[in-house]
Amino acid sequence: MVSLTRRVIPPDFVCEKSVNDKSMAIMTGTIILSAQSLGKKFNRRTILDNISFYLSAPSSLALTGKNGSGKSTLCKMIAGILEPSAGSVSIRWEGQIGSAAQCIGLVAPYLNLYDEFTAAENIRFLSRIRSRMPNEKRFRILMEQVDLWKRRDDEVGTFSSGMKQKLKYVFALVHEPPVLVLDEPTSNLDDDGVRFVGNVVEDQKRNGLLVVATNDADESSWCSEQIHLGEHEL
Amino acid sequence: MKIVKLLSIVLISFVLCAGIAVPMVPQPHGFFQFPIIPGLENKARNIFFHVPLAWTAVLAFLVALWHGFRYLRTQDIMHDHQSVASAGLGLMFCLLATITGSIWAKFNWGSFWNWDPRETSIFILLLIYGAYFALRSALASEEIRARLSAVYSMIAGVTAPFFVFVMPRLFAGLHPGARGDEAGSTPVAQLHMTGPMRIVFFSGLLGFSLLFFWLLNLRVRVARLEEQHSINLQP
Amino acid sequence: MIVQTFAIASKDLRSELRTRYAVNALLMFVVTSVATILFALREDRVSTDVLSGMYWVVVFFSGTAGLSRIFVGEEERGTALTLRLIASSSAVYFGKLLFNCLQTILLVLAATVLYLIAFPEFVIRSAALFAATVFLGSLGFAAAATIIAAIVAKAQAKGTLYTVLSFPILAPLLLTVIQTTAMALDGAEFSAALGQFQILFGYICAVVGLSFILFDYIWKD
């Protein structure tokens, strides 16, 4: 099972390598994300059945399908926050088993930040929980890119939904993850935000792995591979 | 299962007849006489029903706990069916034990409830069963329900035995055989029980335990049929 | 993992200092329940047994008001998945346990101060015994509260469920600390309560150990 293989390695073993502050090109290495006959059931209803894929950087994968076809479920299982009912996900980084905490950046509607903390505190605390030193320089660059640097000391509770979405990108990218998983990447974003996401996606595709779950044809066209979910729908 | 069913019926019938009908005399001779226990007299007959019921209530909890543990290991939903069926029966036996004990207490100790250590323990067991079902009804997803109720029963299973150490420090027992009871200080099963009484008593223990396993088997079979039915409904 | 544990506990502490949600609820609960008891008693003198019983009743129900927030809050705000993404479940468990221990100790201190002021009969005649009881009691209380809070966070009707689930688990602990607190108020020797301390210590170890093993099953979906 995913959790078992992951627990073997201390969660902070990968972080040492990427702590040095260089561009994302540093992590080209070899990152491999694969799924072996993944399945998920809720209350005996099959949501996903027998999903397998193998991605080796640089590469990108689009997950498409109707509402309720299991896109988010699959994203959660890839990120290790949902246990599959069958099969497993494995991340190998430079030949070793990678932990989801260190290797994955996830932007998703169900992944919230703390409203009572400021943007800067959120990123700082969450980096610490990830057991990494907060990377101030990269934080500043990302915050300037999403136009939130001036608002860094405001509480996230005062942010609009679009601003929160942008901050989620900062949270997902600040540790330079070799795998970036985007669930509904452009929801709530303005034109600037969409352009920013476009740049992030281009970068990630070149240097690492990208997984996008979307219903939008434009967004799925970013990716080289595609899995269409929902064939086994009832 | 047929043997279990028949045996439990035979044993419980035997306990019913013998426990109620066998006369109690001061100097028992032969097989069909029980001794009179001073202070209990005919009220002692309750031991043939109340104690096996309480024992079965505990047994049912342990079975539910075991299947909860198995569920966590295997993620097989059948273990959850076993667990919940066992807990349901355990709740029933626990209630019956409480009622039989309470009625007996009214006649023997003067009130229905006295907070004697064993009364307190069975009250906590009732609360655990109640909490178990309250938790189950508050969880919507089948897998999470199975998982969390298994976890809860295991936590309760670890904390409940502490009563064994806590109780004697707090209360002087009223139960026959408990400390403070002038009639004796040994556990109930060894208290003034002659051979014939023991036969009836242990028949009761075995009979009610078998009854529990038979009912458990029935409920699990029903659950299995329901599961198959709901799978068949899905195209 | 130790770093993560402290990071999570300090995150919760800062969050609490900023919002004061749980602390305010806890303290107000202590104050109102003590006031209610005072209204009921008026001039009556009460025995130490009753006093120590009421002391822990106040602690138990105040805990109900605040301690379950620790997981319910994460689940309600949708930050539980964020934590699950970035932290190992054992770090989450111990971080939350640490924070709940702090909260419980604060709660018990507040209750003690209030009792000392409000009840002339509440005199701690054996300070060491009282301190040890209250400290071990708080740890055991926090240990049980943490794991029950984690379970309750996944359920509906969270507020009432917490009380229902935690009472049978806490009952052996409550009975022991009520008895030992009464002994401390009566001025018993420290050594007289060694048996009780063994029970408390065993209880804490059992609950924390089992929670640590089982937490994965609660925390992961």
Side-chain angles (χ1 to χ4, degrees):
Chain A
M1 298 299 283
V2 200
S3 58
L4 274 178
T5 46
R6 243 183 250 137
R7 224 172 290 135
V8 178
I9 307 293
D12 42 349
F13 101 99
V14 215
C15 71
E16 311 301 329
K17 293 170 187 164
S18 64
V19 153
N20 44 11
D21 177 31
K22 301 214 180 108
S23 82
M24 287 166 100
I26 196 86
M27 354 152 290
T28 334
T30 49
I31 177 82
I32 296 166
L33 175 70
S34 61
Q36 291 88 34
S37 47
L38 275 183
K40 184 70 190 173
K41 288 178 179 179
F42 283 121
N43 286 336
R44 294 178 209 165
R45 180 182 288 273
T46 305
I47 307 291
L48 288 171
D49 192 23
N50 203 17
I51 305 277
S52 299
F53 58 81
Y54 182 94
L55 293 172
S56 171
S59 180
S60 54
L61 171 70
L63 306 172
T64 58
K66 284 185 236 168
N67 294 136
S69 59
K71 297 189 295 291
S72 292
T73 306
L74 188 51
C75 283
K76 286 179 188 172
M77 291 199 291
I78 291 171
I81 56 181
L82 185 69
E83 300 282 296
S85 309
S88 64
V89 175
S90 71
I91 305 167
R92 295 188 77 79
W93 197 16
E94 283 161 8
Q96 284 174 299
I97 296 163
S99 76
Q102 305 299 334
C103 294
I104 288 189
L106 174 63
V107 176
Y110 38 81
L111 205 71
N112 291 335
L113 300 172
Y114 292 91
D115 277 352
E116 69 270 26
F117 292 138
T118 68
E121 282 170 333
N122 257 297
I123 304 298
R124 204 178 308 135
F125 293 158
L126 293 173
S127 298
R128 240 175 246 154
I129 293 174
R130 216 178 221 143
S131 58
R132 303 173 60 122
M133 291 316 288
N135 185 338
E136 296 294 341
K137 207 189 236 170
R138 184 163 169 82
F139 172 61
R140 176 160 190 172
I141 294 168
L142 286 168
M143 286 297 270
E144 278 169 350
Q145 280 176 359
V146 295
D147 219 7
L148 285 175
W149 179 246
K150 289 193 188 102
R151 299 285 308 266
R152 67 185 181 280
D153 289 327
D154 288 351
E155 284 175 21
V156 173
T158 65
F159 282 18
S160 73
S161 46
M163 287 159 78
K164 282 183 185 165
Q165 177 78 355
K166 287 175 179 170
L167 189 63
K168 284 184 197 176
Y169 273 93
V170 177
F171 161 64
L173 291 168
V174 74
H175 64 302
E176 303 176 81
V179 181
L180 183 63
V181 181
L182 306 178
D183 194 352
E184 297 181 30
T186 55
S187 62
N188 296 322
L189 289 182
D190 54 17
D191 290 348
D192 284 347
V194 174
R195 226 168 292 130
F196 166 75
V197 173
N199 293 335
V200 167
V201 163
E202 283 309 313
D203 245 25
Q204 190 70 27
K205 265 161 57 181
R206 223 174 302 126
N207 301 316
L209 282 177
L210 174 73
V211 178
V212 180
T214 182
N215 271 319
D216 188 302
D218 282 348
E219 289 169 12
S220 56
S221 70
W222 294 339
C223 301
S224 51
E225 316 281 328
Q226 187 171 356
I227 294 180
H228 187 74
L229 299 171
E231 272 92 45
H232 58 271
E233 248 176 307
L234 305 176
Chain B
M1 261 313 135
K2 250 202 177 111
I3 301 164
V4 169
K5 182 163 84 177
L6 283 174
L7 200 58
S8 82
I9 292 171
V10 169
L11 283 173
I12 291 175
S13 313
F14 166 67
V15 173
L16 275 174
C17 298
I20 293 173
V22 172
M24 287 188 156
V25 296
Q27 296 297 321
H29 296 290
F31 200 78
F32 297 104
Q33 287 178 334
F34 293 153
I36 285 183
I37 300 166
L40 292 176
E41 290 90 34
N42 271 314
K43 289 174 284 188
R45 293 179 193 280
N46 194 27
I47 199 174
F48 303 125
F49 308 101
H50 170 65
V51 178
L53 284 171
W55 149 257
T56 314
V58 175
L59 178 72
F61 181 74
L62 293 177
V63 170
L65 184 66
W66 166 247
H67 281 290
F69 173 73
R70 295 284 299 147
Y71 176 79
L72 292 183
R73 298 302 294 271
T74 61
Q75 310 286 313
D76 178 1
I77 199 73
M78 277 323 291
H79 284 300
D80 185 53
H81 292 325
Q82 296 262 14
S83 203
V84 68
S86 184
L89 291 170
L91 179 61
M92 182 188 80
F93 281 106
C94 197
L95 279 171
L96 287 175
T98 312
I99 293 166
T100 50
S102 194
I103 294 171
W104 182 82
K106 176 71 183 167
F107 290 102
N108 209 54
W109 301 332
S111 77
F112 285 110
W113 203 260
N114 306 281
W115 295 111
D116 159 272
R118 274 172 229 175
E119 286 186 328
T120 313
S121 306
I122 205 150
F123 175 66
I124 297 293
L125 186 62
L126 263 180
L127 285 185
I128 291 173
Y129 277 127
Y132 178 88
F133 284 105
L135 174 63
R136 288 189 73 91
S137 60
L139 293 164
S141 149
E142 190 177 48
E143 291 87 6
I144 293 179
R145 193 192 309 141
R147 206 138 33 90
L148 294 194
S149 53
V151 168
Y152 183 73
S153 68
M154 289 176 77
I155 294 170
V158 161
T159 54
F162 277 91
F163 281 106
V164 177
F165 310 114
V166 173
M167 286 303 173
R169 294 174 186 281
L170 289 177
F171 309 102
L174 296 170
H175 260 89
R179 240 184 273 171
D181 180 42
E182 62 285 335
S185 59
T186 45
V188 181
Q190 279 136 40
L191 177 76
H192 304 300
M193 284 223 279
T194 57
M197 263 184 115
R198 276 187 206 179
I199 289 173
V200 178
F201 176 71
F202 287 111
S203 305
L205 279 187
L206 187 64
F208 280 103
S209 304
L210 292 177
L211 177 70
F212 160 72
F213 281 112
W214 173 49
L215 290 174
L216 178 64
N217 180 266
L218 273 183
R219 294 190 67 167
V220 171
R221 271 153 64 196
V222 169
R224 195 171 288 151
L225 285 175
E226 274 173 358
E227 169 138 347
Q228 272 163 10
H229 183 63
S230 74
I231 289 172
N232 290 341
L233 281 182
Q234 287 178 8
Chain C
M1 199 201 86
I2 294 166
V3 179
Q4 281 193 324
T5 302
F6 281 102
I8 288 168
S10 85
K11 189 265 318 170
D12 279 337
L13 185 64
R14 276 156 187 271
S15 165
E16 189 51 51
L17 288 178
R18 188 151 304 172
T19 59
R20 307 264 164 95
Y21 183 92
V23 169
N24 282 344
L26 285 176
L27 295 184
M28 283 317 293
F29 216 104
V30 175
V31 171
T32 44
S33 44
V34 170
T36 316
I37 295 170
L38 281 172
F39 291 152
L41 290 177
R42 291 206 201 91
E43 301 296 307
D44 290 352
R45 314 269 308 163
V46 278
S47 71
T48 50
D49 281 337
V50 175
L51 266 180
S52 76
M54 287 190 310
Y55 175 86
W56 286 101
V57 165
V58 166
V59 172
F60 174 73
F61 282 101
S62 311
T64 308
L67 295 181
S68 64
R69 284 296 308 167
I70 196 156
F71 284 107
V72 173
E74 302 274 3
E75 213 67 52
E76 275 174 357
R77 287 178 296 178
T79 49
L81 286 175
T82 313
L83 266 191
R84 207 171 302 160
L85 176 68
I86 62 178
S88 69
S89 37
S90 38
V92 173
Y93 172 68
F94 283 116
K96 298 287 184 186
L97 177 65
L98 193 62
F99 180 66
N100 254 356
C101 285
L102 277 178
Q103 271 199 99
T104 320
I105 288 172
L106 177 78
L107 164 66
V108 163
L109 281 179
T112 309
V113 171
L114 258 176
Y115 264 72
L116 285 173
I117 297 169
F119 299 97
E121 298 91 345
F122 194 88
V123 181
I124 302 167
R125 292 190 180 80
S126 173
L129 183 57
F130 185 81
T133 305
V134 155
F135 180 70
L136 285 177
S138 305
L139 295 191
F141 198 77
T146 306
I147 194 75
I148 299 296
I151 293 177
V152 165
K154 294 284 167 95
Q156 283 114 33
K158 300 176 172 76
T160 45
L161 197 59
Y162 176 82
T163 321
V164 172
L165 293 191
S166 60
F167 184 73
I169 304 295
L170 282 169
L173 178 90
L174 284 174
L175 288 172
T176 312
V177 289
I178 288 171
Q179 191 199 15
T180 322
T181 307
M183 287 165 71
L185 297 182
D186 290 334
E189 288 292 312
F190 190 84
S191 54
L194 281 181
Q196 276 85 346
F197 288 139
Q198 279 172 357
I199 293 176
L200 289 179
F201 190 72
Y203 180 91
I204 295 168
C205 292
V207 173
V208 172
L210 190 70
S211 304
F212 171 64
I213 296 168
L214 295 179
F215 186 70
D216 235 18
Y217 294 107
I218 307 173
W219 181 238
K220 298 227 163 118
D221 272 332

